[in-house]
Amino acid sequence: MTSAPLRQPPKTLMVVLLLTMGVGPLLNYGLSATSDELLRRFSITESQFGLLATTLFVSATIVSMLLGKLADVLSIRHQLILNFGGTGVAMLLAGFANEYWILLIAMALAGPMQVIANPTTNRVIYELVPVGQRPSWIGVKQSGVQLTQLMAGLYFPAVTLWLGWPVAAVGAAVFIFASLWWSITQLPPEDPTDWAKVRRALLFGRSGVNSRAVERLPLGVWILAVVAMFGGVGMQATNLYLPLYTVRELDFSLVLGGLSAGIAGIIGVMSRIYWGRLLSRGKPASTLIMLTTGGGILGIASLMLAGDFGQVWLLWLGVALYGLTVLGTNVIVNAATLSMVDASRVGAASGITTMGMYAGFAIGPLLAGLLLEATGNFHASWLSVIAAYAICFGLAVTLYVHLRRQRPNAAARSDS
């Protein structure tokens, strides 16, 4: 793209980043928001429903490191075509599916296409946004995922009940393709894709990508990748099963159940911006991860108690705590990752943390679905989410200790 960051990046660029982050999860959020209806439509069990999200995220995990490398050599326009175009095709396939296995294929297709969004948007921010503004831009662009959660929670249940799942899915696909066209028109000029570099990146990750970039990543990046994984376990299990939980345990309607996820999403938008601003002010990433995951534990405990005691206010308290805290973790992970590497390793480092996140996304829904089906209630599922967040908290403490030890060593090297 440009050779140096812009002094004042255009606001339309932020909208492009929001859309790029947001379109990928639209299919899985749409399925989650209409879960009770789709379980009946396709005559599937809770664990089979969880397998849909797992299929998407397994396919994403498999290609995340490769796509992280490709994000360093493909033009931004080609990356948007992969992200938007592939997701739009997957949405159409899911809309016209009349068998469960077709839904599985749609999810397998959607995974690789959306996984490139994180390295793509990180690269755009690294190249075009001044250093001091990067954490806040990351906070805003990551909120695109939660805006999608809100839109899906409002749109899919209402349209599915009114006109049916196929119409809802086709309408979403039209939005995706329209967003692709508009986003491409808003990007600044850039060099075309060097396809020789792409071929070499596909074969052993050489050329445009430093062949030893991954091996030379700091330990902190790997810790963040594991944080992203366990955070992803809890986050995606919650996102997928929250609407179903409200319908079954609290007698919510399908629309109100979808709204519960949507409200978590809109709170998550503000949350991610807030955590991004704290990072901009120099707050340590490790400390912020302790706060977000600790809040997530309290939020999930509140959700669990809401079903136990039939108290709707506990449900909304849990939704608010979940949105305010743990949904901001990915912002912190992304911003901290960018601060630990140089320009040549942005794609590789983002690919590692994205791989961790999608691995967690793959594990969480299937684990929660299996526990739900085995026990007949949501207790074990929620406890598994709490355990995942507790592990994240411990990893954040490890990161804090590691970075404190690094600072004296770095000072000693600079004095010498």
Side-chain angles (χ1 to χ4, degrees):
M1 299 186 80
T2 59
S3 58
L6 304 171
R7 292 187 62 184
Q8 190 59 48
K11 300 299 183 186
T12 52
L13 182 62
M14 177 58 75
V15 178
V16 171
L17 298 181
L18 283 167
L19 287 170
T20 303
M21 291 301 299
V23 296
L26 190 56
L27 176 55
N28 38 300
Y29 281 141
L31 292 174
S32 172
T34 54
S35 54
D36 192 56
E37 178 70 20
L38 293 178
L39 284 167
R40 287 194 295 268
R41 175 183 173 86
F42 291 97
S43 300
I44 56 177
T45 65
E46 293 89 350
S47 60
Q48 286 177 307
F49 183 71
L51 183 59
L52 290 172
T54 295
T55 299
L56 184 150
F57 295 122
V58 165
S59 67
T61 304
I62 290 170
V63 300
S64 60
M65 287 185 66
L66 174 61
L67 289 178
K69 294 176 181 179
L70 288 179
D72 288 328
V73 292
L74 278 175
S75 71
I76 299 301
R77 284 169 173 79
H78 280 122
Q79 293 178 50
L80 294 188
I81 290 170
L82 278 175
N83 180 25
F84 287 74
T87 305
V89 171
M91 183 69 74
L92 288 174
L93 185 60
F96 290 110
N98 54 10
E99 297 286 347
Y100 173 69
W101 64 269
I102 300 177
L103 274 183
L104 286 172
I105 292 174
M107 298 300 271
L109 173 62
M113 301 310 157
Q114 70 172 273
V115 74
I116 201 170
N118 216 38
T120 298
T121 51
N122 283 350
R123 175 180 157 191
V124 171
I125 289 173
Y126 199 98
E127 293 186 1
L128 297 181
V129 178
V131 173
Q133 298 180 35
R134 286 174 188 167
S136 59
W137 270 67
I138 290 173
V140 175
K141 68 98 172 175
Q142 290 291 136
S143 68
V145 177
Q146 266 53 65
L147 284 172
T148 294
Q149 189 174 11
L150 171 64
M151 187 175 81
L154 296 173
Y155 168 79
F156 278 98
V159 177
T160 297
L161 289 176
W162 181 32
L163 299 171
W165 164 256
V167 175
V170 170
V174 170
F175 168 78
I176 291 170
F177 288 120
S179 298
L180 171 61
W181 172 82
W182 182 84
S183 297
I184 286 176
T185 66
Q186 301 304 310
L187 291 175
E190 62 176 333
D191 294 331
T193 295
D194 185 334
W195 293 105
K197 287 185 177 181
V198 172
R199 285 192 294 272
R200 285 192 288 271
L202 288 170
L203 297 171
F204 315 115
R206 294 201 173 113
S207 191
V209 179
N210 187 330
S211 62
R212 301 194 63 186
V214 172
E215 290 83 347
R216 294 189 293 107
L217 289 175
L219 175 61
V221 171
W222 295 98
I223 296 174
L224 289 170
V226 184
V227 169
M229 184 184 77
F230 282 100
V233 168
M235 190 184 308
Q236 208 52 233
T238 306
N239 288 343
L240 190 69
Y241 284 103
L242 176 59
L244 185 65
Y245 175 70
T246 62
V247 170
R248 290 194 175 177
E249 300 295 322
L250 294 164
D251 296 322
F252 280 22
S253 67
L254 189 69
V255 174
L256 188 57
L259 182 63
S260 67
I263 289 175
I266 196 61
I267 294 173
V269 170
M270 297 179 287
S271 165
R272 289 186 165 196
I273 294 171
Y274 172 73
W275 295 112
R277 287 178 177 171
L278 285 182
L279 283 165
S280 295
R281 296 172 191 162
K283 301 295 183 182
S286 54
T287 302
L288 296 183
I289 293 171
M290 291 181 215
L291 292 174
T292 58
T293 53
I297 290 170
L298 294 176
I300 300 304
S302 184
L303 291 179
M304 186 166 62
L305 291 173
D308 286 345
F309 296 103
Q311 297 295 315
V312 173
W313 70 269
L314 281 172
L315 182 281
W316 295 119
L317 175 63
V319 166
L321 284 171
Y322 173 68
L324 284 170
T325 58
V326 77
L327 288 183
T329 304
N330 282 345
V331 173
I332 302 166
V333 167
N334 275 276
T337 299
L338 289 189
S339 71
M340 292 181 182
V341 297
D342 56 31
S344 68
R345 296 181 292 168
V346 168
S350 297
I352 290 293
T353 54
T354 301
M355 180 183 69
M357 180 181 68
Y358 277 101
F361 284 179
I363 295 167
L366 183 59
L367 175 62
L370 288 170
L371 291 172
L372 172 58
E373 194 172 329
T375 63
N377 60 63
F378 285 85
H379 273 102
S381 300
W382 291 138
L383 287 173
S384 71
V385 172
I386 289 172
Y389 292 154
I391 292 171
C392 285
F393 189 95
L395 287 166
V397 174
T398 302
L399 181 63
Y400 176 81
V401 172
H402 168 68
L403 294 178
R404 277 190 64 120
R405 288 175 177 171
Q406 267 198 329
R407 280 195 288 271
N409 293 338
R413 285 195 297 271
S414 63
D415 291 341
S416 61

